[in-house]
């Protein structure tokens, strides 16, 4: 870990927080990703080697703690009190980003939005039976397809066909799906313009959007572009 060589708490804190992937790892741990594979799934692009290094570093600093899993190999990770306090910095950063930064084309990874949605589903509204939903995302360099399995309020995202009957088919522009989850595109508008299309039983088509609790920052309205542009100019 590089150091600024300064006593300033901002500099010392930035030595930890500003390390690449560290805020994302802390976010995933806060959301309940307790095992290595869960943390990794919510951070596309992060290598297993780097994640292992970051977790060891965060443990040494007292931000993360781990214990052997009760069953099977591997360890279970969770934030310490210091880690939970550091997550407050993540929240502040997220609030600033939601207000001042646009969602650019390079941010439109539909898998991340789907993963985030699964972590924030309103589980009290989910049906009692097993549901399999196929997602076909368009508008990317290559179309992407995923399956969402919901059973007993547990969820799993599959990147290959799970071998189960599909109950609902959703075709969505990646941009529309991401912005809907982020709270920047109303569901009515997205479906009216056929940017998100659902095919399946009418009760399931009606129910699906009610399961999404949306991003934790969906309540924040982006600052008008003129003000944001002024910030970029000053920068």
């Amino acid at each position: 870990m590089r150091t600024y060589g300064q006593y300033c708490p901002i500099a010392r804190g930035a030595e930890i927080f500003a390390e690449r992937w560290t805020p994302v790892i802390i976010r995933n741990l806060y959301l309940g990703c307790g095992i290595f594979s869960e943390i990794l799934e919510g951070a596309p692009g992060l290598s297993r080697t780097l994640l292992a290094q970051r977790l060891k570093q965060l443990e040494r600093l007292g931000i993360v703690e781990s214990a052997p899993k009760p069953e099977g190999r591997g360890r279970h990770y969770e934030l310490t009190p210091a880690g939970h306090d550091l997550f407050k910095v993540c929240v502040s950063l997220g609030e600033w980003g939601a207000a001042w930064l646009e969602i650019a084309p390079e941010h439109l990874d539909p898998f991340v939005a789907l993963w985030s949605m699964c972590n924030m589903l309103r589980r009290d509204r989910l049906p009692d039976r097993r549901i399999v939903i196929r997602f076909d995302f368009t508008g990317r360099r290559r179309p992407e397809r995923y399956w969402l399995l919901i059973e007993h309020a547990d969820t799993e995202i599959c990147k290959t066909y799970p071998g189960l009957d599909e109950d609902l088919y959703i075709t969505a522009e990646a941009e529309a799906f991401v912005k809907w989850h982020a709270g920047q595109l109303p569901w009515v508008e997205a479906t009216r313009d056929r940017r998100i299309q659902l095919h399946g039983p009418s009760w399931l088509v009606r129910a699906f959007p009610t399961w999404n609790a949306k991003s934790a920052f969906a309540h924040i309205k982006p600052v008008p572009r003129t003000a944001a542009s002024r910030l970029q100019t000053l920068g």
Side-chain angles (χ1 to χ4, degrees):
M1 183 176 68
R2 297 180 179 180
T3 177
Y4 291 107
Q6 298 181 20
Y7 77 90
C8 172
I10 293 176
R12 287 186 285 127
E15 290 173 358
I16 300 168
F17 190 76
E19 285 273 15
R20 182 166 170 78
W21 291 109
T22 293
V24 174
I25 294 169
I26 293 170
R27 177 201 68 187
N28 291 1
L29 286 165
Y30 182 84
L31 290 175
C33 299
I35 61 176
F36 191 92
S37 60
E38 291 175 342
I39 301 169
L40 194 66
E41 184 181 44
L46 173 60
S47 70
R48 298 181 64 87
T49 301
L50 185 55
L51 174 57
Q53 292 174 354
R54 287 287 184 271
L55 287 172
K56 288 180 181 178
Q57 179 187 48
L58 292 170
E59 281 199 80
R60 286 197 302 270
L61 294 165
I63 294 167
V64 171
E65 59 186 4
S66 71
K69 292 168 59 177
E71 299 178 1
R73 300 171 57 186
R75 303 184 70 80
H76 183 273
Y77 299 89
E78 61 182 29
L79 295 174
T80 64
H84 280 279
D85 261 5
L86 190 56
F87 178 72
K88 296 175 184 177
V89 181
C90 292
V91 173
S92 295
L93 182 63
E95 290 173 344
W96 180 86
W100 289 99
L101 301 177
E102 289 189 328
I103 298 177
E106 60 267 25
H107 303 142
L108 297 175
D109 186 339
F111 178 84
V112 174
L114 182 59
W115 177 87
S116 176
M117 187 188 80
C118 288
N119 279 279
M120 305 187 72
L121 284 176
R122 293 173 172 167
R123 300 184 186 276
D124 59 318
R125 299 188 180 187
L126 297 177
D128 295 331
R129 50 163 289 194
R130 181 176 67 196
I131 298 293
V132 180
I133 305 173
R134 191 183 84 190
F135 291 84
D136 288 296
F137 291 108
T138 63
R140 301 274 284 173
R141 184 173 302 175
R142 289 182 293 182
E144 298 179 35
R145 174 174 291 177
Y146 305 106
W147 287 264
L148 172 59
L149 279 58
I150 302 174
E151 187 168 17
H152 303 304
D154 289 328
T155 62
E156 180 182 357
I157 301 174
C158 299
K159 296 183 179 180
T160 57
Y161 178 55
L164 300 169
D165 290 339
E166 299 159 337
D167 301 288
L168 183 65
Y169 303 87
I170 297 179
T171 302
E173 294 178 13
E175 179 181 16
F177 189 82
V178 169
K179 289 189 174 181
W180 167 60
H181 180 63
Q184 296 186 14
L185 179 66
W187 179 257
V188 172
E189 182 179 334
T191 52
R192 182 194 63 208
D193 296 341
R194 300 183 64 81
R195 300 183 68 190
I196 299 179
Q197 302 177 53
L198 292 81
H199 304 281
S202 57
W203 70 270
L204 198 50
V205 169
R206 291 193 302 270
F208 173 78
T210 70
W211 302 342
N212 182 19
K214 296 189 178 180
S215 163
F217 306 101
H219 64 286
I220 298 176
K221 293 183 179 180
V223 174
R225 185 59 185 167
T226 52
S229 298
R230 192 178 306 119
L231 175 68
Q232 293 176 352
T233 301
L234 292 173

